[in-house]
Amino acid sequence: AISSAQEYNARDLGLEIAPSGYVYFPPVKAGFVGSDAVACLLSTGMYRSRVPSLMIDIGTNGEIALGDRNSIVCCSTAAGPAFEGGHIKWGMRAASGAIERVRIDPHTLEVSLKTIHNNSPIGICGSGLISSVAELIRTGCILQSGHFNDIIKTPRLRKGEEGSEFVLSWKQENPTGHDIVITQKDIAELQMAKGAIRAGISILMESLGRRVRRIYLAGAGGNYIDPLDAQTVDLIPSPSNCQIIACGNAAGHGACLALVDMKKRRDAERIAGKMDYIELAASPRFQDLFVSHMFFPKAIDS
């Protein structure tokens, strides 16, 4: 196994770029904390900051790092495809027409949608799923257990083919010919995904024993998730006076930095060298934390 940075002539890899061009591979830390995670840390600069920071690269495989200029701990957790619209009844990737933001009137329970490119809604992307569930929590439509609140009386909350569901868009409001809904199964998928991420965060925080003062949300999903929605569904911690930064494709940005600056490449080596990797599968606490973080603590109790 190779963990250090690597350089190869581009022509030896069959890449037809500049005749003298070459390819640089940043170092990796572990099997599931690869060079993309190192590039994220390079991009955010948290490895040289005095401020204890948390970086979460949100995706099917969630890389998480916590630390500052003195030390960094990291882990990886399998969150599943829910954050990217996978296994969701009306889930889709973040493309034109995907619902990315939802607001629900607390009195009438009428729904306002924001879609990518402001096109008619045709599905729900990851940020839209989180936004939907956050609003359903705020309006009392979802309980702490994740189940729909049957006391709520509205035509939008009904029994569907797969159990209870909430209508986000009526069929006459979209071009699909069907009502676009959030189902009980969709909520369960989100619970498992965010439970895994939060369990990993909790183990890192216990390990480092430091209070988080800055949170970086990385990845395509992390860039578009509303931080308040993420806190409402308990995807990320909610410490007071904590700065939350959506940093987009931090891995891609870190890769660019490494390509144009030799000093950044040396920094990448130092980052990988100073990171302490925690294997969550070997942690006796992970399963308990995973189950406890599947609940929605900011929702009303049943």
Side-chain angles (χ1 to χ4, degrees):
I2 298 173
S3 59
S4 60
Q6 302 291 308
E7 292 184 7
Y8 296 93
N9 289 324
R11 60 178 178 270
D12 293 340
L13 300 179
L15 296 178
E16 296 181 0
I17 57 173
S20 61
Y22 60 95
V23 177
Y24 169 75
F25 293 90
V28 302
K29 183 60 188 181
F32 293 100
V33 179
S35 56
D36 53 346
V38 173
C40 281
L41 296 178
L42 195 64
S43 174
T44 61
M46 58 181 279
Y47 65 96
R48 49 184 169 80
S49 173
R50 291 186 173 89
V51 178
S53 303
L54 174 68
M55 187 281 295
I56 314 166
D57 191 356
I58 298 173
T60 301
N61 185 58
E63 291 96 357
I64 310 167
L66 173 66
D68 53 25
R69 63 189 301 174
N70 297 314
S71 59
I72 297 175
V73 290
C74 64
C75 68
S76 176
T77 181
F83 293 131
E84 296 168 342
H87 294 176
I88 306 301
K89 181 169 185 176
W90 282 93
M92 62 178 290
R93 64 185 181 86
S96 184
I99 297 170
E100 63 174 345
R101 193 81 75 242
V102 175
R103 290 297 175 257
I104 302 176
D105 187 288
H107 305 292
T108 65
L109 298 183
E110 285 304 299
V111 177
S112 299
L113 302 176
K114 183 181 184 303
T115 63
I116 296 176
H117 300 152
N118 295 318
N119 288 346
S120 297
I122 59 173
I124 310 166
C125 63
S127 61
L129 174 65
I130 292 173
S131 181
S132 301
V133 174
E135 282 292 277
L136 290 169
I137 289 172
R138 294 182 186 115
T139 54
C141 294
I142 290 180
L143 304 171
Q144 287 187 5
S145 63
H147 292 101
F148 281 111
N149 186 356
D150 294 333
I151 296 176
I152 299 293
K153 301 302 179 184
T154 171
R156 291 184 180 271
L157 185 54
R158 67 190 190 188
K159 294 293 182 182
E161 296 177 355
E162 302 176 358
S164 297
E165 61 186 27
F166 188 91
V167 179
L168 295 179
S169 174
W170 300 105
K171 61 183 178 182
Q172 61 267 26
E173 298 172 342
N174 66 71
T176 68
H178 301 276
D179 297 335
I180 297 176
V181 300
I182 290 286
T183 70
Q184 190 69 71
K185 179 178 176 295
D186 295 339
I187 296 171
E189 290 286 343
L190 176 61
Q191 286 180 279
M192 288 188 287
K194 70 100 175 178
I197 293 285
R198 282 294 275 117
I201 292 172
S202 295
I203 287 175
L204 293 190
M205 292 177 69
E206 290 175 359
S207 171
L208 203 62
R210 248 173 257 170
R211 180 175 172 270
V212 175
R213 291 173 52 196
R214 184 179 293 151
I215 298 175
Y216 293 100
L217 297 178
N223 193 44
Y224 294 102
I225 294 171
D226 185 307
L228 290 178
D229 289 342
Q231 290 180 321
T232 299
V233 302
D234 195 40
L235 172 61
I236 60 176
S238 304
S240 58
N241 300 320
C242 180
Q243 183 183 19
I244 302 175
I245 301 171
C247 52
N249 187 3
H253 182 243
C256 291
L257 291 176
L259 281 177
V260 300
D261 190 340
M262 295 294 290
K263 291 181 181 179
K264 293 296 183 182
R265 299 185 199 182
R266 290 192 288 271
D267 284 349
E269 291 279 359
R270 283 192 285 268
I271 290 169
K274 76 186 294 186
M275 293 167 73
D276 289 325
Y277 174 68
I278 296 178
E279 177 59 66
L280 295 183
S283 172
R285 290 268 292 144
F286 178 75
Q287 193 62 33
D288 290 339
L289 288 167
F290 169 65
V291 172
S292 65
H293 282 303
M294 286 180 64
F295 294 93
F296 297 117
K298 294 190 177 181
I300 61 175
D301 202 356
S302 56

